[in-house]
Amino acid sequence: MPELLIELFSEEIPARMQQQAGENLLRLLGEALAPLNPVDARSYTGPRRIAASLNLDAMVPGRTVSERGPRENAPEKALEGFTRKHGVSKDALTLQNGFWVLEREEAPIGAAAHIATMMPDLLRRFPWPKSMRWGAGSTMTWVRPLRRIVCLLDGQIVPFSMATADDNGHNLSTSNQTEGHRFLNPGVMDVTSAAQWQQGLHERHVMVHAAERREAITTGLNALAQTEGLSIVPDAGLVDEVAGLVEWPVPFLGQIDPIFMDLPPEVMQVSMRVNQRYFALRNSDGSAAPRFAFVANIIPTDDGSLVVSGNERVLRARFADARHFWNLDRKQSLASRVEELDTITFHAKLGSQGERTRRMVRLAAILADMVGAPAALCERAAELSKTDLTTGMVGEFPELQGVMGGYYARHDGEQPEVAQAISEHYTPRGPGDEVPVAPVSVVLGLADRFDMLTAFFAAGEKPSGSGDPFGLRRAALGIIRLIRENGLRLDLVKLFTLAAEALPEPLRNAPDLALLPQFIAERLRVQVRTEGARHDCLAAISVDNEDTDIVRLLARAQALQTMLETEDGQNLLAATRRAANILRIEDKKDGPHEGMPDPALFEQDEERALYATLQTVEPAVEQAFTAEHFADAMRAAASLRQPLDRFFEDVTVNAPDAALRLNRLKLLSRLVRMMRLIADFSQIEG
C-alpha cells in the first residue's frame, strides 16, 4: 500500500495544544481519506510541526451511484428540477418502486488526486483552541503562522495549493522540504519517506516523537541528579510541557542560592515550575535540595556554564520576589485577614468568601460531633481556612492555596491541628493524592466540599455533559474518599439539608438540591468501576434505597458480590430472575398477586419446603441487616438456592386450578419481595 506523509511546519505551537492537534490530524485524515482505507496511522507532534504517516489504497474504486428523485406521479416541475440539477434529460432516468432514479457511474480516482482534493479544505477547517491570522491576502488561520506543507505519496509530492480564487492562502503549496532544528541545524532538508523524514530530522537535532523527548528528559534529568545523590521531584505534567517546548532536550543542573533555602519548599517548587519550567530536587531524606534542573533546547559550545549561570541569575530574581511576599504576608496574622474575605466575591448568587466562610464554620461545628473532632478547633480552622486568599503569595501563585495558610497559621501560633487542617483541606485534589486522616483536617475538608456542592447546585451551576467549571465532580469524589478512607458513618441527605439551611434565602429550596444524593451516588459508582469492582452490585443495592451511608452501602455491595461469585449465588440469581419474570407476565394478566400464601393449599413437598425456608430466611435477613452483618444476610439468602431449584423443577406455577395458581404466585411474590430487601437483581449484569 502507498505511504502518505503529511507534515505541517509552523512557528512555535503552544505545548498544551500539541497532543490534541496530533489526534485531530489523524481523525480528520481518517474521515477525509476513508475511501482509501487508511491503516497504520501515526501522528508526530513537536514545537514547530504536527505530522502524520499512514498507508492507504492506491485508488478510490469506481462505483455506481443511485440518486432517487421525485415520485412517478409527482408534478412535472419537480421532475424538471431534478433533471436540471443533475444536468440530464428524462431519458437518463429509470422507474424503481414508484420513484424516478438516476444512476450514474463514478470513475476510479487515484489516491493522489483524492488527497489533493480533500486536503485544502481539511487544513482550512483544522480545529485549534486558539488560532491567528497573519500576513495579507488570506483569511486562513492557524495556531501560529504556517510556513511549509509536506505532502508525499510514496515519495512523490501530492500537488495542491491553499490559494483560492480570491484568497492567496499565504502562498502555501505542497513540497518535499522541511527544516531541522532552528539553532543547531537550520536550513532545508529534502524528504522522501516517513522513515527518511524521521531519521533525517533526528540527524538535524529534531526528535519528532513526543514520547522520545519525554524519555530523553526523564532519563537525562535523573542521571544528573543521581550523580549528586539527589532525586527529581516527580512532575509528569511538567515533563509533558517541557517536551512540547524543545526539539532536542539537553538537561542541566543549577545551584540555588543558600539565602533562599529557608523558603517553604512548596514555594520554591511552584515558583520554579510556573515561572521557569524548572524541576525541583530533593535530598535522600526528602528535604529540599539546593539544586534545580532545567532543559535547554541547544547544545552549548562550552560546557554549559553560561547557560547554567544565566538560569541561576533568573531564578535568584524569582526567589527574591517570593521572599518579598513571604516576609510581607507574615506581618499580618490570618485572624486579622478574616474581615477582608467580605470584599472577595465567591459567586454572584452566593455572596462573598466571608459569607462562605461563615457557612463553613457552622458546618464544621455540625461535622465535628459526627466525626469525633474538637468542635472549637474545627470552627477555628474553618474561620481561617480561606484567609490566605488575601495574601500576596497566593495572589501570585494560586496553586499554593491552603499550603500557605498552613505555614502562616503555624507562624501565628495557631494550634497545630488548625494549621494542619488549613494546609490539608484541599486534599485530595486528585486520585493520586493521600487523604487526610487527622480529625480536624477531615472535618474541614468535608465542610468545604459540602458547602461547595450545596451552594453551586442551589445556584443552578451543576455540571452538564463534560463541562464542570467549578470542579464539582472532583469535590464529590473528595467527599467519597474522605468518608471511605476514614470509615465515617454520615447521612449525606441530612448533611446536604443542613448545608442548604445556611444559603441565601432565595436558594434554600432550589429544585436542583434534590439531585445531590444521586450526584454523589453516580460519582461513587464511577469510583467503584475505576477500582475494578462490580459497580452493578452497588447499583443493585441502591435501587429504591434511600440510605446514603457510603460505608454501609459499600459493605452491602461487597457482600452481594461475594455471594454472586459462588455457585449458590449464581443459581439463586437465575432463580430469582425467573420468579420475577413469571410474576411480571402473570401480573399483566390478572395481577398483582400479593398477600401471604395459604400453607393449607400447598399440594407438593417442594412448595412446603420453599415456604418453610422463606419463613426462616426472611427474619434472618432482616435481623442481619439491622445488625449490619451483611455477609450473614447473604449466606441466609443463599440457603434458598436448593428449595428454589426443586420448586422450579417439579412445580407448575400456572396450575389449572385457579386457587392453586394464585397461591403459588403469592409464594413467588413473597420470595421476590424478600429478595428485593437484599438487592434489585435486575441490575446485575450477565
Side-chain angles (χ1 to χ4, degrees), residues 48-230:
R48 294 200 296 162
R49 71 198 82 219
I50 61 171
S53 65
L54 56 156
N55 295 325
L56 34 72
D57 293 342
M59 184 169 291
V60 178
R63 59 176 182 160
T64 300
V65 178
S66 295
E67 294 198 38
R68 193 171 71 174
R71 291 182 178 274
E72 181 181 5
N73 57 357
E76 192 65 26
K77 286 187 177 181
L79 184 59
E80 290 175 0
F82 182 72
T83 55
R84 184 169 57 253
K85 173 185 174 182
H86 294 285
V88 297
S89 65
K90 183 178 179 180
D91 295 338
L93 308 181
T94 59
L95 278 173
Q96 297 180 16
N97 299 321
F99 288 88
W100 291 102
V101 175
L102 172 63
E103 292 187 344
R104 51 191 176 83
E105 298 293 327
E106 286 191 355
I109 303 174
H114 182 77
I115 294 166
T117 300
M118 303 301 294
M119 285 303 298
D121 177 65
L122 183 154
L123 297 181
R124 282 186 175 274
R125 59 186 174 86
F126 194 89
W128 291 100
K130 290 185 178 181
S131 56
M132 62 177 290
R133 293 182 180 181
W134 70 98
S138 179
T139 61
M140 179 183 172
T141 62
W142 202 250
V143 62
R144 295 291 186 269
L146 186 61
R147 299 306 190 195
R148 296 181 182 274
I149 302 173
V150 172
C151 186
L152 301 182
L153 184 65
D154 261 1
Q156 300 300 311
I157 298 173
V158 178
F160 65 83
S161 169
M162 296 305 300
T164 62
D166 55 354
D167 187 311
N168 67 18
H170 299 295
N171 300 312
L172 287 165
S173 59
T174 53
S175 73
N176 65 342
Q177 293 185 325
T178 187
E179 297 182 25
H181 194 284
R182 183 188 292 277
F183 307 111
L184 300 177
N185 280 102
V188 172
M189 178 190 89
D190 289 342
V191 181
T192 58
S193 69
Q196 179 269 338
W197 167 80
Q198 185 172 336
Q199 179 62 32
L201 284 176
H202 197 275
E203 293 170 356
R204 288 165 176 77
H205 295 93
V206 175
M207 298 180 186
V208 297
H209 280 288
E212 182 183 7
R213 297 194 300 276
R214 285 194 294 269
E215 178 62 25
I217 291 168
T218 302
T219 302
L221 292 177
N222 286 333
L224 287 176
Q226 289 170 8
T227 61
E228 300 195 13
L230 307 175

Side-chain angles (χ1 to χ4, degrees), residues 543-622:
V543 173
D544 297 330
N545 184 356
E546 296 182 356
D547 188 5
T548 55
D549 184 325
I550 289 175
V551 172
R552 184 161 50 230
L553 287 172
L554 291 175
R556 284 185 60 180
Q558 182 57 53
L560 177 60
Q561 178 176 334
T562 300
M563 183 186 75
L564 293 177
E565 289 171 351
T566 67
E567 183 181 357
D568 281 349
Q570 284 292 321
N571 288 335
L572 180 62
L573 171 63
T576 301
R577 284 175 168 172
R578 183 176 179 182
N581 287 336
I582 292 172
L583 274 176
R584 185 174 62 253
I585 294 170
E586 299 308 313
D587 282 350
K588 289 180 180 178
K589 296 177 182 178
D590 55 359
H593 301 89
E594 298 176 348
M596 292 296 291
D598 184 355
L601 295 178
F602 293 146
E603 291 188 349
Q604 296 180 227
D605 290 341
E606 290 79 9
E607 296 174 273
R608 298 184 185 93
L610 179 57
Y611 178 77
T613 307
L614 275 172
Q615 289 288 88
T616 303
V617 168
E618 190 168 12
V621 168
E622 291 178 348

Side-chain angles (χ1 to χ4, degrees), residues 235-257:
D235 194 336
L238 183 56
V239 171
D240 288 342
E241 184 175 6
V242 173
L245 297 173
V246 298
E247 292 184 309
W248 193 260
V250 182
F252 291 98
L253 287 185
Q255 187 78 36
I256 297 176
D257 195 315

Side-chain angles (χ1 to χ4, degrees), residues 448-477:
D448 181 41
R449 291 168 176 84
F450 272 107
D451 178 74
M452 178 182 292
L453 285 175
T454 307
F456 280 115
F457 267 67
E461 299 283 10
K462 63 182 184 296
S464 59
S466 60
D468 188 11
F470 299 106
L472 301 186
R473 293 189 180 99
R474 184 172 64 249
L477 287 172

